[in-house]
Amino acid sequence: MTLDPLKLNKKDFQPFLEELAKDHELFAPVRLVEGVSVYRKIDPADEIDLDASNPQKPVKEVFFPQSEAMLRFEKVGNRHKVTSTDEVKKPRGVLGARACDIQAISLLDDVFLGKEYTDVYFLKKRQSTLLVGFACNHPLSTCFCASTGGGPFAREGSDLFFIDLGESYLVEALTEKGRALTQSKLFVKASEKEIALASDLEKKAAERSDARSPSRGSKRNWTSSWRAASGTASMRNASAAGSARFFAPHAIALILWTRL
Ligand code: SF4
């Protein structure tokens, strides 16, 4: 579903976050030090880093954290009671994810939501999370999404897609979930000029990305490389993402033992 593109002025971005935060838990890139950002749970008032190309740790962390409480053990009299925890208390929204990171999540779907086995913890997070993707106007020299069937403006997997136009964002609603959010008065119809500017930015980013691609725009299928990296197209994220291949899902479970 792609409706007519909308526009959100940057001055209205903060009010948009505030509206979203009323019924969503929000995650977005936060700068730790110059050049280093990570996804964190945020409050609308927090400073988020939407200018960095891609955080050092992939958005995978939001769906498949390094550690999480999975089971709770309680001693009740002479018996032990085991209950599954539920860490997702309300809908969640991820802002600022880049196309490569979002494409990587779909690869995790193959692993954790496979035909034979389903990781219910991952499933719950996936179903409860709205993805707001951001286009990359300036692909870095290390970016290679074009070689993996993606691209700096790839929209697949996003519910809402933002393109930075300078003073405003061009916003595309790609799913029902995304469309529901654009009912807010903060969003207005984009002009022909703004749509043309977004299209020009997309063309330039694609040319830059294609020129830097190891396969130089050939039809070579790098999907297997993606699967090997299992997490992101970003070189600097690949080693962290690759660790998922060697450790069983949710290898580290925090077990809470309550003595009554
Ligand atoms: S690899 Fe592509 S999608 Fe990812 S940050 Fe670079 S340009 Fe953006």
Side-chain angles (χ1 to χ4, degrees):
M1 165 193 289
T2 312
L3 303 173
D4 286 341
L6 299 166
K7 179 176 86 163
L8 178 71
N9 285 312
K10 284 195 176 169
K11 69 176 175 48
D12 290 329
F13 189 73
Q14 182 72 19
F16 166 64
L17 284 187
E18 283 161 17
E19 278 186 10
L20 202 56
K22 282 181 194 157
D23 43 17
H24 288 78
E25 220 173 37
L26 299 182
F27 297 81
V30 174
R31 187 172 301 177
L32 295 184
V33 291
E34 188 60 38
V36 179
S37 301
V38 293
Y39 286 95
R40 283 273 164 85
K41 197 191 284 191
I42 58 150
D43 286 323
D46 290 343
E47 197 172 322
I48 63 179
D49 184 13
L50 296 172
D51 295 330
S53 175
N54 218 355
Q56 268 56 37
K57 290 182 95 178
V59 74
K60 180 182 77 171
E61 283 269 307
V62 176
F63 300 91
F64 181 48
Q66 268 188 321
S67 66
E68 69 181 310
M70 297 171 75
L71 299 171
R72 180 179 295 274
F73 289 80
E74 286 174 278
K75 194 172 178 197
V76 184
N78 290 331
R79 304 179 70 94
H80 290 108
K81 188 177 158 199
V82 183
T83 45
S84 182
T85 58
D86 181 5
E87 295 211 320
V88 182
K89 304 287 183 220
K90 63 186 208 179
R92 311 178 329 150
V94 173
L95 294 114
R98 305 293 167 165
C100 54
D101 246 3
I102 292 175
Q103 185 172 356
I105 296 169
S106 72
L107 299 180
L108 292 180
D109 288 347
D110 288 350
V111 177
F112 297 126
L113 310 178
K115 288 198 179 95
E116 254 182 287
Y117 302 105
T118 297
D119 182 321
V120 290
Y121 299 88
F122 180 83
L123 176 67
K124 182 84 190 283
K125 293 189 190 78
R126 271 298 260 145
Q127 288 176 334
S128 316
T129 307
L130 170 99
L131 279 166
V132 182
F134 272 60
C136 299
N137 290 359
H138 305 289
L140 300 177
S141 59
T142 48
C143 289
F144 61 92
C145 51
S147 301
T148 63
F153 277 60
R155 287 133 168 102
E156 291 85 353
S158 291
D159 295 295
L160 277 181
F161 192 70
F162 277 48
I163 301 169
D164 190 340
L165 301 181
E167 297 293 309
S168 61
Y169 293 107
L170 189 96
V171 180
E172 294 174 4
L174 301 165
T175 64
E176 273 301 334
K177 266 200 260 186
R179 196 184 65 79
L181 292 179
T182 56
Q183 301 308 304
S184 158
K185 287 195 180 101
L186 298 171
F187 293 89
V188 295
K189 197 169 181 290
S191 68
E192 288 304 320
K193 200 171 156 199
E194 285 152 351
I195 295 170
L197 173 58
S199 165
D200 192 45
L201 288 168
E202 179 166 1
K203 191 165 158 253
K204 286 188 177 135
E207 282 167 3
R208 233 174 276 136
S209 171
D210 204 39
R212 288 167 183 170
S213 152
S215 58
R216 297 212 176 267
S218 76
K219 296 288 181 211
R220 182 175 172 185
N221 184 351
W222 281 51
T223 304
S224 56
S225 308
W226 270 89
R227 291 187 188 285
S230 184
T232 180
S234 165
M235 283 288 196
R236 61 184 178 274
N237 288 339
S239 59
S243 65
R245 297 163 56 211
F246 303 108
F247 295 99
H250 300 99
I252 305 169
L254 177 61
I255 298 174
L256 303 172
W257 178 280
T258 308
R259 281 184 184 277
L260 294 178

